[in-house]
Amino acid sequence: MNGEDLLIMIPGPTGLPPEVREALARPAIGHRSQAFAELLDECTAGMKHVFQTESDMLILTASGTGGLEAAITNFLSPGDPVLAVSVGNFGERIGQIAGIFGADVTWLRFEWGEAAGVSAVRDALAQKSYRAILFTQNETSTAITNPVRELAQAASETGALTIVDAISGMGGIEVRTDDWGLDVVVAGSQKALMLPPGLAFVSVSERAWRAAEQAGMPRFYFDLGKARDYLGRGQTPYTPNTSLFFALQASLRLILAEGLENSWARHAQAAATVREGVEKLGLKRFGDPEYASNVVTAFLPPEGVDPKQISSHMLDRHNILITGGQGKLRGTILRIGHLGTVDQSQVSRTLGALEEAVEEAAGGRA
Amino acid sequence: MNGEDLLIMIPGPTGLPPEVREALARPAIGHRSQAFAELLDECTAGMKHVFQTESDMLILTASGTGGLEAAITNFLSPGDPVLAVSVGNFGERIGQIAGIFGADVTWLRFEWGEAAGVSAVRDALAQKSYRAILFTQNETSTAITNPVRELAQAASETGALTIVDAISGMGGIEVRTDDWGLDVVVAGSQKALMLPPGLAFVSVSERAWRAAEQAGMPRFYFDLGKARDYLGRGQTPYTPNTSLFFALQASLRLILAEGLENSWARHAQAAATVREGVEKLGLKRFGDPEYASNVVTAFLPPEGVDPKQISSHMLDRHNILITGGQGKLRGTILRIGHLGTVDQSQVSRTLGALEEAVEEAAGGRA
């Protein structure tokens, strides 16, 4: 298989623009240098724009899950009651992290394929005083985008902190951290930001910093207070992935040149084309269409066909990588990611290959 | 300042060989793909060789400090008595992590500039039953290499686990993980491995895995048991920095082509030349010469001269990055790193620039 020609259509990692690949290959710099301080400053400002926040932005050398751990351990203490609202695999993960670090987790689970129901969340919040509510913005495993703004509104009325996993949607789907009152938001580099994996981004509201003062969960590598102190002098507490910061600078310049709202619109357009294309092939989409994600589409293979047969055909014959289901959806659904560098030509190539794969599968059954 | 010409002579990050830079710029691959499984397999085998171990090798997407956190939290429980042997800033760090996660830390501190005294360590181990002993192989802050083999021998007689921070020395200074009976060893990518920061490496002995079964410290992102399970199917639990794995493959091929023992010898030769050159300039070396590190040399500026004046001269006039002291040595010493891509021409260029800087400082005083 020729890596150059591989078209990556999974919900992250995504393909890398040439500007990003060039930036990755730049010579090393010292991480306690003026050159790095300037790079960190530009990247931090750019990520604040992507998050639509004026709160603090901390950039961690870790993949998104490391950012989730930071979002839990910096703001909570063992025994703190938290409400984990789960609509899929990643909703499970953030609640699981809270539990492992000692939070008293109450689960509010929705059927996979549904979005979180705002009134059910309101009811749950009314029954108990929670320190925080945890949920995903975009649930990659089910291709569902939660009603983030409404969920945050419900939480803020009770005083609970809103801790949001926006790893797979940030940059591709509208998020307005400040306007929507989100306290702690996490994103990852390998999604709509068009970077390799390895950086996590965490925004922290003033209210969350006040909670951090009393938060007793142990943390060292992911200590955000320390990250904030070092950021004040243009550094990170521990050696940052300097190459990825160069790449982040390049990708942010691309995003700013396109315009963030234009990026959201491009993702929406790609999603609409994929959904329409899938349905035209007679395939059944998975999940509540009202909350369908703009960065990933989930659907069922033709009846009686193993999803693996479709994805293998697309990889082996067309060098296009799509993926199957996760967790309880393994072996059931297929997922096409359309984020980051995605454009209409990538979408067309993918849908064309999918059509062939479906036809072959139908032939196989005939 | 022209990044292309910058000569990085700090104890990491180091300069990057062209092969590594090319690898960083490769197109993305999926992290649950056969292509990644093969890459992970080659990298894991290569790192086992560098560590001189046949035990398990886990590669984490984090910088070295993340690896240290993994080395603590996977093998200890809150309340466990541990002996933290510290000879500098990084000896402090590993003990501090243990304390933050609830271990009962007894400190055995040596003067900065000294190596850990084996008989003092034996005495301390005799006074109490410790679950683990923690120490640095190469203490970057003081340019001292500890007598790792002897310390491990002393620990093994008591049954304590040996947890070693080898972040800055691995690959450049002899470490024989299995022969020396080291249970948990941590390395980082941005040192002798000639990579950007962003990967941490942790080897785990069978004895350490048995301890892990009872270890109660909380861990999620750095869960090594989960990393081992996923490694069995050619994956990592959370999205790995695929670009850095490509780069690691390239650097391991360079290291294997050179030969690990030849790499150790090249570092020893570079160190000898730097030490001799520093002394020839009439500068006083810092630290016990018997334990002088082969990857970094520490020395004092000419009397009455601010170390910053020397390092600024070298950066501004010669585009060579050296560094000062850390922690309590800030403002006192200078440090030259000689690791990774280091060769005699880099060393000569650095010593030539140092000579000029020292002459200028002397002129300023006259």
Side-chain angles (χ1 to χ4, degrees):
Chain A
M1 196 172 60
N2 179 350
E4 280 297 339
D5 293 324
L6 178 68
L7 176 58
I8 300 198
M9 298 296 282
I10 58 176
T14 66
L16 306 175
E19 293 87 342
V20 165
R21 291 173 53 194
E22 279 161 30
L24 284 168
R26 285 182 63 175
I29 55 169
H31 63 297
R32 309 269 181 228
S33 65
Q34 183 58 28
F36 182 73
E38 288 165 16
L39 181 60
L40 179 59
D41 189 57
E42 180 177 342
C43 290
T44 303
M47 286 310 302
K48 283 188 185 189
H49 177 70
V50 171
F51 274 57
Q52 294 285 291
T53 187
E54 290 176 11
S55 292
D56 285 312
M57 164 65 53
L58 290 326
I59 307 179
L60 305 170
T61 292
S63 51
T65 300
L68 292 183
E69 187 168 313
I72 296 294
T73 58
N74 282 272
F75 307 103
L76 296 170
S77 297
D80 274 354
V82 302
L83 181 66
V85 177
S86 171
V87 304
N89 206 38
F90 291 95
E92 295 297 306
R93 179 174 293 181
I94 187 168
Q96 200 191 346
I97 296 172
I100 280 176
F101 281 86
D104 173 15
V105 182
T106 299
W107 286 97
L108 179 60
R109 292 186 167 101
F110 294 87
E111 279 295 311
W112 287 31
E114 288 180 12
V118 176
S119 65
V121 169
R122 275 187 197 280
D123 289 350
L125 288 168
Q127 277 164 36
K128 191 168 165 181
S129 175
Y130 291 103
R131 179 77 72 166
I133 175 174
L134 322 175
F135 59 88
T136 47
Q137 171 227 14
N138 183 72
E139 178 53 61
T140 324
S141 65
T142 60
I144 289 293
T145 301
N146 271 320
V148 175
R149 182 182 203 160
E150 291 77 6
L151 294 172
Q153 176 65 32
S156 77
E157 288 163 12
T158 72
L161 284 179
T162 309
I163 300 179
V164 184
D165 169 355
I167 292 172
S168 61
M170 181 62 72
I173 299 173
E174 181 179 19
V175 176
R176 298 191 184 271
T177 300
D178 290 356
D179 288 355
W180 296 356
L182 312 179
D183 291 301
V184 182
V185 181
V186 180
S189 54
Q190 78 279 18
K191 308 286 185 174
L193 293 168
M194 308 175 284
L195 297 170
L199 292 181
F201 310 95
V202 188
S203 71
V204 181
S205 72
E206 272 310 314
R207 213 159 68 98
W209 281 126
R210 284 195 296 277
E213 287 165 18
Q214 287 136 42
M217 287 183 182
R219 55 197 179 261
F220 190 87
Y221 186 68
F222 294 126
D223 187 331
L224 296 177
K226 204 185 276 184
R228 179 178 57 171
D229 292 347
Y230 274 76
L231 183 60
R233 37 191 153 121
Q235 296 186 12
T236 58
Y238 314 117
T239 316
N241 187 323
T242 40
S243 299
L244 268 180
F245 276 85
F246 281 135
L248 174 58
Q249 179 184 50
S251 85
L252 283 169
R253 287 176 181 179
L254 292 173
I255 291 170
L256 295 181
E258 177 180 23
L260 184 61
E261 301 202 349
N262 292 333
S263 173
W264 296 341
R266 177 169 52 81
H267 284 83
Q269 182 57 51
T273 311
V274 170
R275 288 175 208 145
E276 196 187 350
V278 162
E279 286 178 348
K280 264 196 191 148
L281 296 177
L283 301 174
K284 202 173 160 229
R285 279 170 51 203
F286 175 83
D288 184 345
E290 199 183 332
Y291 294 96
S293 169
N294 280 349
V295 295
V296 54
T297 294
F299 56 97
L300 301 173
E303 212 168 313
V305 174
D306 183 349
K308 189 89 197 146
Q309 187 185 334
I310 303 289
S311 55
S312 295
H313 175 104
M314 291 183 69
L315 184 62
D316 299 342
R317 304 279 185 85
H318 304 277
N319 216 7
I320 297 174
L321 185 66
I322 69 168
T323 190
Q326 287 181 309
K328 65 172 101 163
L329 291 174
R330 195 177 296 275
T332 308
I333 62 169
L334 285 159
R335 290 178 301 150
I336 292 176
H338 29 79
L339 73 171
T341 59
V342 69
D343 59 23
Q344 291 295 316
S345 88
Q346 290 182 9
V347 168
S348 300
R349 189 177 148 197
T350 304
L351 289 171
L354 180 62
E355 183 171 8
E356 255 198 53
V358 167
E359 277 167 9
E360 191 190 68
R365 282 174 306 165
Chain B
M1 197 171 59
N2 180 349
E4 280 296 341
D5 292 325
L6 178 68
L7 176 57
I8 300 197
M9 298 296 283
I10 58 176
T14 66
L16 307 175
E19 294 87 343
V20 165
R21 291 173 53 194
E22 278 161 31
L24 285 167
R26 285 182 62 176
I29 54 170
H31 63 298
R32 309 272 182 227
S33 65
Q34 183 59 29
F36 181 73
E38 288 164 16
L39 182 59
L40 179 60
D41 190 56
E42 180 176 342
C43 290
T44 302
M47 286 310 302
K48 283 187 184 188
H49 176 70
V50 171
F51 275 57
Q52 294 285 293
T53 187
E54 289 174 12
S55 293
D56 285 311
M57 165 65 54
L58 291 323
I59 307 180
L60 305 170
T61 293
S63 51
T65 300
L68 293 183
E69 187 168 315
I72 296 294
T73 58
N74 282 273
F75 307 102
L76 296 170
S77 297
D80 274 355
V82 302
L83 182 66
V85 177
S86 170
V87 303
N89 205 39
F90 291 96
E92 295 297 304
R93 180 174 292 181
I94 187 168
Q96 199 190 347
I97 296 172
I100 281 175
F101 281 86
D104 174 14
V105 181
T106 299
W107 287 95
L108 179 60
R109 291 186 167 102
F110 295 87
E111 279 295 310
W112 286 32
E114 287 180 12
V118 176
S119 65
V121 169
R122 276 190 196 280
D123 290 349
L125 288 167
Q127 277 165 37
K128 191 169 166 181
S129 175
Y130 291 103
R131 179 77 71 165
I133 176 174
L134 322 174
F135 59 89
T136 47
Q137 170 227 15
N138 183 72
E139 177 55 60
T140 324
S141 65
T142 61
I144 289 292
T145 301
N146 271 320
V148 174
R149 181 181 205 162
E150 291 77 6
L151 294 173
Q153 176 64 32
S156 77
E157 289 164 11
T158 71
L161 284 179
T162 309
I163 300 180
V164 184
D165 168 355
I167 291 173
S168 61
M170 181 63 72
I173 300 173
E174 181 179 17
V175 176
R176 297 189 185 275
T177 299
D178 289 356
D179 288 354
W180 297 356
L182 311 179
D183 292 300
V184 182
V185 181
V186 181
S189 54
Q190 78 278 18
K191 307 287 187 176
L193 293 167
M194 308 174 286
L195 297 169
L199 292 181
F201 310 94
V202 188
S203 72
V204 181
S205 73
E206 271 311 314
R207 213 160 68 98
W209 282 126
R210 285 196 295 278
E213 286 164 19
Q214 286 138 42
M217 287 184 181
R219 54 196 179 262
F220 190 85
Y221 186 69
F222 294 125
D223 187 331
L224 296 177
K226 203 185 277 182
R228 180 177 57 171
D229 293 345
Y230 274 76
L231 184 59
R233 38 192 151 119
Q235 295 186 11
T236 58
Y238 314 117
T239 317
N241 186 325
T242 41
S243 300
L244 268 180
F245 276 84
F246 281 134
L248 174 58
Q249 179 184 50
S251 85
L252 284 168
R253 289 176 181 179
L254 292 173
I255 290 169
L256 297 181
E258 178 180 21
L260 184 61
E261 302 203 348
N262 292 335
S263 173
W264 297 340
R266 177 170 52 82
H267 283 82
Q269 182 57 51
T273 311
V274 170
R275 288 176 209 144
E276 196 187 348
V278 163
E279 287 178 348
K280 264 197 191 148
L281 295 177
L283 301 175
K284 202 173 159 225
R285 278 170 51 203
F286 176 83
D288 185 345
E290 199 183 332
Y291 295 96
S293 168
N294 280 349
V295 296
V296 55
T297 294
F299 56 98
L300 302 173
E303 212 169 312
V305 173
D306 183 349
K308 190 88 197 145
Q309 187 185 336
I310 302 290
S311 55
S312 295
H313 175 105
M314 293 183 68
L315 185 61
D316 299 342
R317 305 277 187 84
H318 303 278
N319 217 7
I320 298 174
L321 185 65
I322 70 168
T323 190
Q326 285 182 311
K328 65 172 100 163
L329 291 174
R330 194 177 296 277
T332 307
I333 62 169
L334 285 159
R335 291 177 301 149
I336 292 176
H338 29 80
L339 72 170
T341 58
V342 70
D343 59 22
Q344 292 294 317
S345 87
Q346 289 181 10
V347 167
S348 300
R349 188 176 149 199
T350 304
L351 289 171
L354 180 62
E355 182 171 9
E356 253 198 56
V358 167
E359 278 168 9
E360 191 192 65
R365 280 176 307 167

